[in-house]
Amino acid sequence: MKQSSINKYSLAIAVLTLASFSSMLPAGAEDSVTVNISLKDHRFQPAELHAPANKPIMIIVKNLDPAPAEFESNMLRVEKVVTGGGTITLRIRPLEPGRYRFFDDFHQETQGYLVVQ
Ligand SMILES: [Cu+2]
């Protein structure tokens, strides 16, 4: 008797958990926008990225330099190392319109902007 009520309770939790995960999926997977940027000779190309407001953004960073870099932005709340010749993917939350600065934390003069409109 006690055992079965615990099982029902766990089942309810499991169903609720699944329901909340599946309701999260469409917003992240279907609506997200992907933008590409590369690093070459310690410069971002392009130096200005554009993305729509209020949608999750995926930034794919390709490092064409042999030296490692660290894509960082306080405004975007990201910080991630990309090895020489490597590629990283950054997931950014939906943003309000604005100009968001980012930089290479290993070479701080290397910077760019994400323009959200
Ligand atoms: Cu850093």
Side-chain angles (χ1 to χ4, degrees):
M1 185 65 184
K2 197 179 180 191
Q3 184 68 42
S4 78
S5 67
I6 288 169
N7 285 344
K8 274 182 196 166
Y9 184 69
S10 337
L11 183 64
I13 296 283
V15 168
L16 282 175
T17 306
L18 279 177
S20 64
F21 271 121
S22 55
S23 69
M24 280 162 62
L25 280 178
E30 289 168 23
D31 295 341
S32 83
V33 173
T34 302
V35 290
N36 291 278
I37 191 166
S38 56
L39 261 172
K40 179 94 164 80
D41 300 323
H42 300 299
R43 282 170 189 237
F44 284 112
Q45 296 177 345
E48 206 172 89
L49 292 172
H50 293 263
N54 305 313
K55 284 185 176 223
I57 302 164
M58 286 206 337
I59 304 178
I60 298 174
V61 185
K62 213 178 247 194
N63 184 4
L64 302 176
D65 284 331
E70 186 182 57
F71 190 100
E72 180 159 346
S73 172
N74 310 321
M75 300 173 83
L76 297 172
R77 294 187 218 154
V78 290
E79 180 174 22
K80 195 167 186 177
V81 170
V82 52
T83 57
T87 302
I88 54 168
T89 301
L90 302 160
R91 282 161 222 283
I92 312 288
R93 69 194 190 284
L95 297 169
E96 290 174 17
R99 255 173 96 77
Y100 298 82
R101 181 179 170 267
F102 55 82
F103 56 96
D104 171 6
D105 200 23
F106 296 163
H107 309 88
Q108 294 206 11
E109 67 286 356
T110 305
Q111 60 170 331
Y113 288 89
L114 173 64
V115 179
V116 176
Q117 289 162 315

